[in-house]
């Protein structure tokens, strides 16, 4: 986003220090000019977009920088610009994970605060989030700390541009799972990132609600759409948000029904069962 140049340089240095072959790097300036980026051991390409197109569209630009659908490479690593790789073996472990499991499509890293080492519950992509140090198969992933096999993009497409912010990872994850790919949460692959609250974004409540509706309309079998959205409506009310937050959420919920959500490709019922067996049936 252009407002964290020191953090970005530190992240790039941590990428340059990774074991094994050098990593090709593309930095996307999402509506912001990029600072001068020179890091020993890295060849860095840059793309500056004239406006902020949102998180998923910005990441899609980065994907295309490696050829259509990222086809010039086998794996794409996505890292937020204020993150840092504390271990030098992260890239090697990613390569080994994908080489060992041909069905593995996406790897989600563990995000930990650099000062406390704490991983927020929302950063563990499963319902049973009490133990962030336990690796497992999961049904979604963390957008700012992950690796994706480019064959996934070739088969199911990229992130949903119009989402702008929120739930774009789950949309891609559901499509990948429906195509037969698996997703792993790896607690040993760590990205250091300061603890933050998602509500720091002004658009948070509206986007979360709107995109939740779009997610269901795009991906779920018709009988599950009202169930999934009904559960999330009740959960939101049970959390007792402030009145301004609730108004924004309800406005986004209404917007999600009233606006185009993109192409509808409902997942197979066997994918619903697969999600259920993985611990997160697509009704919550």
């Amino acid at each position: 986003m252009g407002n964290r140049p020191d953090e970005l340089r530190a992240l790039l240095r941590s990428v340059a220090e990774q074991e094994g072959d050098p990593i090709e790097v593309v930095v996307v300036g999402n509506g912001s000019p990029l600072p001068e980026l020179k890091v020993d051991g890295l060849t860095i390409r840059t793309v500056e977009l004239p406006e902020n197109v949102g998180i998923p569209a910005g990441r899609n630009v980065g994907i295309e920088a490696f050829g259509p659908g990222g086809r010039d490479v086998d794996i794409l690593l996505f890292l937020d610009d204020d993150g840092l790789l504390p271990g030098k073996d992260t890239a090697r472990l990613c390569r080994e994970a994908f080489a060992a499991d041909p069905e593995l499509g996406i790897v989600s890293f563990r995000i930990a605060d650099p000062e406390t080492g704490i991983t927020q519950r929302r950063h563990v992509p499963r319902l049973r989030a009490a133990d962030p140090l336990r690796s497992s198969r999961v049904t979604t992933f963390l957008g700012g700390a992950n690796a994706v096999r480019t064959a996934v993009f070739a088969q199911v497409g990229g992130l949903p541009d119009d989402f702008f912010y929120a739930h774009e990872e789950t949309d891609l994850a559901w499509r990948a799972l429906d195509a037969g790919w698996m997703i792993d949460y790896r607690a040993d692959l760590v990205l250091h990132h300061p603890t933050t609250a998602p509500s720091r974004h002004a658009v948070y409540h509206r986007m979360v609600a709107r995109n939740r509706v779009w997610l269901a309309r795009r991906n779920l079998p018709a009988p599950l759409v009202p169930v999934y959205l009904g559960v999330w409506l009740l959960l939101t009310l049970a959390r007792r948000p402030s009145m301004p937050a609730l108004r924004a959420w309800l406005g986004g919920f209404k917007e999600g029904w009233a606006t185009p959500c993109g192409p509808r490709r409902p997942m197979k019922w066997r994918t619903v069962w697969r999600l259920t067996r993985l611990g997160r049936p697509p009704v919550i």
Side-chain angles (χ1 to χ4, degrees), residues 122 165 196-205 208 245:
R122 69 185 184 91
Y165 165 80
T196 56
S199 54
R200 71 191 186 279
H201 299 291
V203 297
Y204 171 74
H205 296 288
V208 162

Side-chain angles (χ1 to χ4, degrees), residues 69-196:
R71 68 184 182 191
D72 294 346
V73 293
D74 296 322
I75 302 164
L76 281 172
L77 187 66
F78 296 87
L79 301 170
D80 275 356
D81 62 352
D82 55 346
L84 184 80
L85 295 174
K88 296 182 180 181
D89 59 352
T90 304
R92 175 177 60 80
L93 292 172
C94 275
R95 293 184 178 111
E96 291 174 356
F98 284 109
D101 185 353
E103 293 186 344
L104 181 61
I106 303 171
V107 173
S108 187
F109 297 1
R110 179 168 64 91
I111 293 179
D113 184 272
E115 300 294 330
T116 66
I118 292 174
T119 296
Q120 295 176 269
R121 286 184 65 91
R122 69 185 184 91
H123 284 153
V124 182
R126 59 175 179 245
L127 288 178
R128 296 178 180 176
D131 182 8
L133 299 181
R134 179 173 67 87
S135 300
S136 68
R137 295 281 201 197
V138 290
T139 61
T140 187
F141 64 99
L142 306 175
N146 67 81
V148 182
R149 196 188 295 267
T150 51
V152 173
F153 297 124
Q155 186 172 1
V156 307
L159 295 155
D161 284 353
D162 291 340
F163 276 42
F164 195 87
Y165 165 80
H167 303 316
E168 67 272 6
E169 300 93 354
T170 300
D171 186 88
L172 176 60
W174 283 1
R175 285 182 280 128
L177 288 162
D178 196 48
W181 297 101
M182 300 301 293
I183 305 169
D184 278 357
Y185 167 70
R186 287 282 298 264
D188 58 331
L189 303 179
V190 180
L191 181 79
H192 276 172
H193 188 283
T195 297
T196 56

